[in-house]
Amino acid sequence: MYIRHSPLNSRDSELDRFRFRIAFAASVVVLAFAILIGRFIYLQIIQRDYYTTRAEDNRISLVPITPNRGVILDRNGIVMARNYSAFTLEITPSKVESLDETIEGLGKLIEILPKDRRRFRQLLEESKSFESLPIRTRLSDQEVARFAANRYLFPGVEVKARLFRQYPLGAIASHALGYINRINKGDLAIIEKHEQEANYKGTDHIGKTGLEQKYEFQLHGETGYEEVEIDAGGRAVRSLARTVPVSGNNLTLTLDARLQEITEKAFGDRRGALVAIEPSTGGILALVSTPSFDPNLFVDGIRTEDWEQLNNSPDRPMVNRALNGAYPPGSTFKPFMALAALELGKRTPNQTISDPGFYNFGGHVFRDDKKGGHGLVDMYKSIVASCDTYYYMLANDLGIDNIARFMGSLGLGQKTEIDIEGESEGVLPSPEWKKRRFKRPEQQKWFAGETISIGIGQGYNAYTPIQLAQAMAAVANDGVIYRPHLVRYITDSRTGEKTLIEPKPLRTLPWKQQNIDTIKNAMIGVNKEGTGARAFSGAGYVSGGKTGTAQLFSLKGGDYKAGNLKQELRDHALFIAFAPADQPKIALAVLVENGGFGAQSAAPIARMVIDYYLLGKLPNGPVQDDETPEEEE
Amino acid sequence: MFLKLLYRFRTRLVEHIDGPLLAISLALMAFGLATVYSATYDANSRALSQLLNMLVGLAAMWGVAQLPPQKLMRFAVPLYILGVVLLVMVYLVGVKINGARRWLPVGFTRIQPSEILKIAMPLMLAWYFNKYEAALSFRHYLIAGLLLIVPFGLIAKQPDLGTAILVGAAGFYVIFFAGLPWKVIIGMTVAGVSAAPFVWTMLHDYQRKRILTLIDPTTDPLGSGYHIIQSTIAIGSGGSFGKGWLAGTQTHLEFIPERHTDFIFAVFSEERGLLGNCILVALYLLLIARGLMITANASTLFARVLGGSITLSFFTYAFVNMGMVSGILPVVGVPLPFMSYGGTALVTLFLALGILMSIQSHRMLVKK
């Protein structure tokens, strides 16, 4: 093709051709470099902002700083819930190649018990994908140092300083305080509902029950953020800026921690509940449900054994009996019945009946506890001696509608709206209630005979201890009824400003003062010369009370086979009281499950509580049952 | 006497050295050293060892520059045969690292024979065309193509697409400058385009993935798209004047992979911005322009086609590397000339410079 004819001539033309190719190559080079420059202009001028943002996003990571959870104090400033800082060993599963090998390796440095592994597995199942999960909590300084020296061997594992919730009083008041535990899916839905997702970025615990749950969004605080420069491996290189977290607000309770403790100790190993209220405000002084549990167990994830033990125990320690347990009030119902009679004009204080020891209604005999009867009985005696016949007759005279209406006004059979969750309504019997409760028409009908036993607090009657305490407080407070509440004020952690939970009267019942005085006087008589006299002998104050015995009614029909059979067959003992009589500072309701007569086991607990609250008198241990035969209630 | 000796020594030293080429490559090396330092100073600095590589390279360049092209010609056949034999050995007994069989164990170390072909290939083809200069026919282009395709295939098979492209391009440039008819070039281009789908099926999975992620890096942001995404972020965030030396966040927080070798341009670009990029591109352009000038004035066909091929190889290196780092070409393992860290590649580049200088300084000898 390129065979030349003349060497000289062809040589020049070939050189020309070659130089043309050089020029061609040069223009390709210039064109290619022009494309490159164009690309650079596109990236570095036109798209510059976009890529700058991308680079910033790459390098800056917003790390949430969890705020300190608010502290919970009792009315005297005793700390009931606080935080302490401890080191935890945490694994980020997404950054670890083999979890088993990592945990195995860590186990050689730091003690990791089987329960730690089990808890870790459990957390792993529940966790969001990118969080770090604790494999060990509460590391000692030595353990922290040992890990730090070997850290390079464990990518994806780090020691973090975390705040832990602590309940210094242990099991005391656990039903009121509640507990916190790791956030689960249900909690996430609540957080979303309150539009708090951003604020919970770094939080992994949330209040599950009690005050911890109810005041969650007060206690939590505002999450702070740290802008951290991170490298491609996600390790923090340095801190760029910091928004300080705002601690949660502190709660100051109406509760008296010492009173609470004494009361819980007074119960000993009995099951039961006590609610003590300050009548003039509705502030709860003590809220007891026994047995209780140690909320500290939940703080870093409860162990399965503990959880099963708490849930499967026949004594049901997780049930808050004070709010959730509904019991027939027994004879503690009588003062309220008597007040209804006075207010509705069905009885006068001095009107007497003759009690033969039974009451015959429609061919059915309703027996009085005292054989042969109490003889002539007026209103005072009907309460002091707890005469059943008086109230059988009265119930019939009042009629079920009047009873239901009056008891309803006292708050019985409805939620008190106390500031913790888990309340049950109880049962305020009425024809309407029966219609709602039963499905079949033959069951829905109210029989007049059913009204009779309602009069002595039996039958369908079922009220929670807090309802009884609220009703007692209403009478003690001359008809002004308050919503029971646990929190006295909330202290804003930023300003120190205290927001009082204003004790607003729910309603003022239009009772005549002389009627109230009649009832109070009769209740004073109970503790002076009646069924409460033995428990309150020698008290340095005047108090009013009423014993009660509820026919056996086990919680939610639960089976109590594990315990002492004989004890299980005993009735529940109840006692309601207020003191001092002239200006009541405390009103309470006590329930002892299977405690027998109210005078026997419930009244002595009430005495101990009031002694401490009014006189500062410390008990010498749990209340002993008064086993001496008692006049019947 | 002593002064005279010194003068002679100086004359001897610079006799065959081309001033402009040396000045441009020194400027590039200064940029390169500063960037290697920035890319590595916070871990284990490679700047000093890169400086040593450069000194070795300069010595090699000087040595080659002393040799007249006629002597260089003698190396062509043995070097080519050695390279191909070693490549066959790699194919048979090579060491496999990261899924690629590129290395040959030689006692205490291992060598990468494909590197030899970067020089041996253009040398061989230039020798071949020079030998048949008097009677070049179409047959010779075919044979040249065969000489090219064998090592190219062996290298591509390793697989090492980057080096295969460089070697293939170097060989093609020789054939091009030797006068491959335009008809054939256009015909091959058309054939190449139409064969693309067929070639696609022959590519390795990872090579296909690279091309696919190039088209849309976001399809695999944590896998093979990661490199391209991070390097374009680095370049784009550099803006007009860059973030400043040692101040590139993408670089120093380790978002850029291979930041002192194949992706060093991302480091440079992030810290020096568009201005730095333009200066760098201008330096490469000057280097290529000087190379083409030398080539145009070369006296023999051997020198012309060899010089042209070497010069355009510099272009290939620079364009492919900057193109891939800025996301307009697929990621292939091609270093940025005089910038990327790495002794072997650097020495190869200096040898190429030396050849150009030899061509330049010995051009008159032939005429004389």
Side-chain angles (χ1 to χ4, degrees), chain B residues 167-214:
Chain B
V167 169
F172 172 77
Y173 297 145
V174 175
I175 300 175
F176 170 74
F177 284 123
L180 181 66
W182 286 107
K183 278 182 270 182
V184 180
I185 295 173
I186 293 165
M188 273 166 59
T189 313
V190 173
V193 170
S194 44
F198 179 66
V199 173
W200 179 252
T201 59
M202 287 182 37
L203 288 175
H204 282 264
D205 270 351
Y206 85 100
Q207 290 166 332
R208 267 186 242 167
K209 212 169 169 189
R210 278 183 184 180
I211 297 170
L212 281 179
T213 49
L214 174 85

Coordinates of all heavy atoms in Angstrom, one line a residue, chain B residues 167-214:
Chain B
V167 N -1.4 -1.2 28.0 CA -0.5 -1.9 27.1 C -1.1 -1.9 25.7 O -0.5 -1.7 24.7 CB -0.3 -3.4 27.6 CG1 0.4 -4.2 26.5 CG2 0.5 -3.3 28.9
G168 N -2.4 -2.2 25.6 CA -3.1 -2.3 24.3 C -3.1 -0.9 23.6 O -2.8 -0.8 22.4
A169 N -3.3 0.1 24.4 CA -3.3 1.5 23.8 C -1.9 1.8 23.3 O -1.8 2.3 22.2 CB -3.8 2.5 24.9
A170 N -0.9 1.5 24.1 CA 0.5 1.8 23.7 C 0.8 1.1 22.4 O 1.4 1.8 21.5 CB 1.5 1.4 24.8
G171 N 0.4 -0.1 22.2 CA 0.6 -0.9 21.0 C -0.2 -0.2 19.8 O 0.3 -0.1 18.7
F172 N -1.4 0.1 20.1 CA -2.3 0.7 19.1 C -1.7 2.0 18.6 O -1.7 2.2 17.4 CB -3.7 0.8 19.6 CG -4.5 1.6 18.6 CD1 -5.1 1.0 17.5 CD2 -4.8 3.0 18.8 CE1 -5.8 1.6 16.6 CE2 -5.6 3.7 17.9 CZ -6.1 3.0 16.8
Y173 N -1.2 2.8 19.5 CA -0.6 4.1 19.1 C 0.5 3.9 18.1 O 0.7 4.6 17.1 CB -0.1 4.9 20.3 CG -1.2 5.3 21.2 CD1 -1.0 5.4 22.6 CD2 -2.5 5.6 20.8 CE1 -2.0 5.7 23.5 CE2 -3.5 6.0 21.6 CZ -3.2 6.0 23.0 OH -4.2 6.4 23.9
V174 N 1.4 2.8 18.3 CA 2.5 2.6 17.4 C 1.9 2.2 16.0 O 2.3 2.8 15.0 CB 3.3 1.4 17.9 CG1 4.4 1.0 16.9 CG2 4.0 1.8 19.3
I175 N 0.9 1.3 16.0 CA 0.4 0.9 14.7 C -0.3 2.1 14.0 O -0.2 2.3 12.8 CB -0.7 -0.2 14.9 CG1 0.0 -1.4 15.6 CG2 -1.3 -0.6 13.6 CD1 -0.9 -2.5 15.9
F176 N -0.9 3.0 14.8 CA -1.5 4.2 14.3 C -0.5 5.1 13.6 O -0.7 5.5 12.5 CB -2.3 4.9 15.4 CG -2.8 6.3 15.0 CD1 -3.9 6.4 14.2 CD2 -2.2 7.4 15.5 CE1 -4.4 7.6 13.8 CE2 -2.7 8.7 15.2 CZ -3.8 8.8 14.3
F177 N 0.6 5.4 14.4 CA 1.6 6.3 13.9 C 2.3 5.7 12.7 O 2.9 6.3 11.9 CB 2.5 6.8 14.9 CG 1.9 7.8 15.8 CD1 1.8 7.6 17.2 CD2 1.4 9.0 15.3 CE1 1.3 8.6 18.0 CE2 0.9 9.9 16.1 CZ 0.8 9.7 17.5
A178 N 2.4 4.3 12.7 CA 3.1 3.7 11.6 C 2.3 3.7 10.3 O 2.7 3.2 9.3 CB 3.4 2.2 12.0
G179 N 1.1 4.3 10.4 CA 0.3 4.6 9.2 C -0.8 3.6 8.9 O -1.2 3.4 7.8
L180 N -1.4 3.0 9.9 CA -2.5 2.2 9.7 C -3.6 3.0 9.0 O -4.0 4.1 9.4 CB -3.1 1.7 11.1 CG -4.3 0.8 11.1 CD1 -3.9 -0.5 10.5 CD2 -4.9 0.6 12.5
P181 N -4.1 2.4 7.8 CA -5.0 3.2 7.0 C -6.3 3.6 7.8 O -6.8 2.9 8.6 CB -5.4 2.3 5.9 CG -4.3 1.3 5.8 CD -3.8 1.2 7.2
W182 N -6.7 4.8 7.5 CA -7.9 5.4 8.1 C -9.1 4.5 7.9 O -9.9 4.3 8.8 CB -8.3 6.8 7.6 CG -7.3 7.8 8.1 CD1 -6.3 8.4 7.4 CD2 -7.2 8.3 9.4 NE1 -5.6 9.3 8.1 CE2 -6.2 9.3 9.4 CE3 -8.0 8.1 10.6 CZ2 -5.8 10.0 10.5 CZ3 -7.6 8.9 11.7 CH2 -6.6 9.8 11.7
K183 N -9.2 3.9 6.7 CA -10.3 3.0 6.4 C -10.4 1.9 7.5 O -11.5 1.5 7.9 CB -10.2 2.4 5.0 CG -10.6 3.3 3.9 CD -10.5 2.6 2.5 CE -9.1 2.9 2.0 NZ -8.9 2.2 0.6
V184 N -9.2 1.3 7.7 CA -9.1 0.2 8.7 C -9.6 0.7 10.1 O -10.3 0.1 10.8 CB -7.7 -0.4 8.8 CG1 -7.7 -1.5 9.8 CG2 -7.3 -0.9 7.4
I185 N -9.1 1.9 10.5 CA -9.4 2.5 11.8 C -10.9 2.7 11.9 O -11.5 2.2 12.9 CB -8.7 3.9 12.0 CG1 -7.2 3.6 12.0 CG2 -9.1 4.5 13.3 CD1 -6.3 4.9 12.1
I186 N -11.5 3.3 10.9 CA -12.9 3.5 10.9 C -13.7 2.2 11.0 O -14.6 2.0 11.7 CB -13.4 4.4 9.7 CG1 -12.8 5.8 9.9 CG2 -14.9 4.5 9.7 CD1 -12.8 6.6 8.7
G187 N -13.2 1.3 10.1 CA -13.8 -0.1 10.1 C -13.8 -0.7 11.4 O -14.8 -1.3 11.9
M188 N -12.6 -0.7 12.1 CA -12.5 -1.3 13.4 C -13.4 -0.6 14.4 O -14.0 -1.3 15.3 CB -11.0 -1.2 13.9 CG -10.2 -2.4 13.3 SD -8.4 -2.0 13.6 CE -8.3 -1.8 15.3
T189 N -13.5 0.7 14.3 CA -14.4 1.4 15.3 C -15.8 0.9 15.1 O -16.5 0.6 16.1 CB -14.3 2.9 15.0 OG1 -12.9 3.3 14.9 CG2 -14.9 3.7 16.2
V190 N -16.3 0.8 13.9 CA -17.6 0.4 13.6 C -17.8 -1.0 14.1 O -18.8 -1.4 14.8 CB -18.0 0.5 12.1 CG1 -19.3 -0.2 11.8 CG2 -18.0 1.9 11.7
A191 N -16.8 -1.9 13.8 CA -16.9 -3.3 14.2 C -16.9 -3.4 15.7 O -17.6 -4.2 16.3 CB -15.7 -4.1 13.7
G192 N -16.0 -2.5 16.4 CA -15.9 -2.5 17.8 C -17.3 -2.2 18.5 O -17.7 -2.9 19.4
V193 N -17.9 -1.2 18.0 CA -19.2 -0.7 18.5 C -20.2 -1.8 18.4 O -21.0 -2.1 19.3 CB -19.7 0.6 17.9 CG1 -21.1 0.9 18.3 CG2 -18.7 1.7 18.3
S194 N -20.2 -2.5 17.2 CA -21.2 -3.5 17.0 C -20.9 -4.7 17.8 O -21.8 -5.5 18.1 CB -21.4 -3.8 15.5 OG -20.2 -3.9 14.9
A195 N -19.6 -4.9 18.1 CA -19.3 -6.1 18.9 C -19.4 -5.9 20.4 O -19.3 -6.9 21.2 CB -17.8 -6.5 18.6
A196 N -19.7 -4.7 20.8 CA -19.8 -4.4 22.2 C -20.7 -5.3 23.0 O -20.3 -5.8 24.0 CB -20.2 -2.9 22.4
P197 N -21.9 -5.6 22.5 CA -22.8 -6.5 23.3 C -22.2 -7.9 23.5 O -22.3 -8.5 24.5 CB -24.0 -6.6 22.4 CG -24.0 -5.4 21.5 CD -22.5 -5.1 21.3
F198 N -21.4 -8.3 22.4 CA -20.8 -9.6 22.5 C -19.7 -9.6 23.6 O -19.5 -10.5 24.4 CB -20.2 -10.0 21.1 CG -19.5 -11.3 21.1 CD1 -20.2 -12.5 21.3 CD2 -18.1 -11.4 20.9 CE1 -19.6 -13.7 21.3 CE2 -17.5 -12.6 20.9 CZ -18.2 -13.8 21.1
V199 N -18.9 -8.5 23.6 CA -17.8 -8.4 24.5 C -18.4 -8.3 25.9 O -17.8 -8.9 26.9 CB -17.0 -7.1 24.3 CG1 -16.0 -6.8 25.4 CG2 -16.3 -7.2 22.9
W200 N -19.5 -7.7 26.1 CA -20.2 -7.6 27.4 C -20.3 -8.9 28.0 O -20.1 -9.1 29.2 CB -21.6 -6.9 27.2 CG -22.4 -6.7 28.4 CD1 -23.5 -7.4 28.7 CD2 -22.1 -5.8 29.4 NE1 -24.0 -7.0 29.9 CE2 -23.1 -6.0 30.4 CE3 -21.2 -4.8 29.6 CZ2 -23.2 -5.2 31.5 CZ3 -21.2 -4.0 30.8 CH2 -22.3 -4.3 31.7
T201 N -20.7 -9.9 27.2 CA -21.0 -11.2 27.8 C -19.7 -11.9 28.2 O -19.7 -12.8 29.0 CB -21.7 -12.1 26.8 OG1 -20.9 -12.2 25.6 CG2 -23.1 -11.6 26.4
M202 N -18.5 -11.4 27.6 CA -17.3 -12.0 28.0 C -16.6 -11.4 29.2 O -15.7 -12.0 29.7 CB -16.3 -12.0 26.8 CG -16.8 -12.9 25.7 SD -15.7 -12.9 24.3 CE -14.1 -12.7 24.9
L203 N -17.1 -10.3 29.6 CA -16.5 -9.6 30.8 C -16.7 -10.3 32.1 O -17.7 -11.1 32.2 CB -17.0 -8.2 30.9 CG -16.6 -7.2 29.8 CD1 -17.4 -5.9 30.1 CD2 -15.1 -6.9 29.9
H204 N -15.8 -10.1 33.0 CA -16.0 -10.7 34.3 C -17.1 -10.0 35.0 O -17.4 -8.8 34.7 CB -14.7 -10.6 35.2 CG -13.7 -11.6 34.8 ND1 -13.6 -12.8 35.5 CD2 -12.8 -11.6 33.8 CE1 -12.6 -13.5 35.0 NE2 -12.1 -12.8 33.9
D205 N -17.7 -10.6 36.0 CA -18.8 -10.0 36.7 C -18.5 -8.7 37.3 O -19.2 -7.7 37.2 CB -19.3 -11.0 37.8 CG -20.4 -11.9 37.3 OD1 -20.9 -11.7 36.1 OD2 -20.8 -12.8 38.0
Y206 N -17.3 -8.7 37.9 CA -16.9 -7.5 38.6 C -16.6 -6.3 37.6 O -16.8 -5.1 38.0 CB -15.7 -7.7 39.6 CG -14.3 -7.6 38.9 CD1 -13.6 -6.4 39.1 CD2 -13.8 -8.6 38.2 CE1 -12.3 -6.3 38.5 CE2 -12.5 -8.6 37.6 CZ -11.8 -7.4 37.8 OH -10.6 -7.3 37.2
Q207 N -16.2 -6.7 36.4 CA -15.9 -5.6 35.4 C -17.3 -5.1 34.9 O -17.4 -3.8 34.8 CB -15.2 -6.2 34.3 CG -13.7 -6.6 34.6 CD -13.0 -7.5 33.6 OE1 -13.7 -8.2 33.0 NE2 -11.7 -7.3 33.5
R208 N -18.2 -6.0 34.7 CA -19.6 -5.5 34.3 C -20.2 -4.6 35.4 O -20.8 -3.6 35.1 CB -20.5 -6.7 34.2 CG -20.5 -7.2 32.7 CD -21.5 -8.3 32.6 NE -20.9 -9.5 32.2 CZ -21.4 -10.7 32.3 NH1 -22.7 -10.8 32.7 NH2 -20.8 -11.7 31.9
K209 N -20.0 -5.0 36.7 CA -20.5 -4.3 37.8 C -19.9 -2.9 37.8 O -20.6 -1.9 38.1 CB -20.2 -5.0 39.1 CG -21.3 -4.8 40.1 CD -21.0 -5.8 41.3 CE -21.9 -5.5 42.4 NZ -21.5 -6.3 43.6
R210 N -18.6 -2.8 37.5 CA -18.0 -1.5 37.5 C -18.6 -0.6 36.5 O -18.8 0.6 36.7 CB -16.5 -1.6 37.2 CG -15.7 -2.0 38.5 CD -14.3 -2.1 38.1 NE -13.5 -2.5 39.3 CZ -12.2 -2.7 39.2 NH1 -11.5 -2.4 38.1 NH2 -11.5 -3.1 40.3
I211 N -18.8 -1.2 35.3 CA -19.4 -0.3 34.2 C -20.8 0.1 34.6 O -21.3 1.2 34.4 CB -19.4 -1.1 32.9 CG1 -17.9 -1.4 32.5 CG2 -20.1 -0.3 31.8 CD1 -17.7 -2.3 31.4
L212 N -21.6 -0.9 35.2 CA -23.0 -0.6 35.6 C -23.0 0.5 36.6 O -23.8 1.4 36.6 CB -23.7 -1.8 36.0 CG -24.2 -2.8 35.0 CD1 -24.8 -4.0 35.6 CD2 -25.2 -2.1 34.0
T213 N -22.2 0.4 37.6 CA -22.2 1.4 38.7 C -21.7 2.7 38.2 O -22.0 3.7 38.8 CB -21.4 0.9 39.9 OG1 -20.1 0.5 39.5 CG2 -22.1 -0.2 40.7
L214 N -20.9 2.7 37.2 CA -20.5 4.0 36.6 C -21.7 4.7 36.0 O -21.8 5.9 36.3 CB -19.5 3.7 35.5 CG -19.1 5.1 34.8 CD1 -18.0 5.7 35.6 CD2 -18.8 4.9 33.4

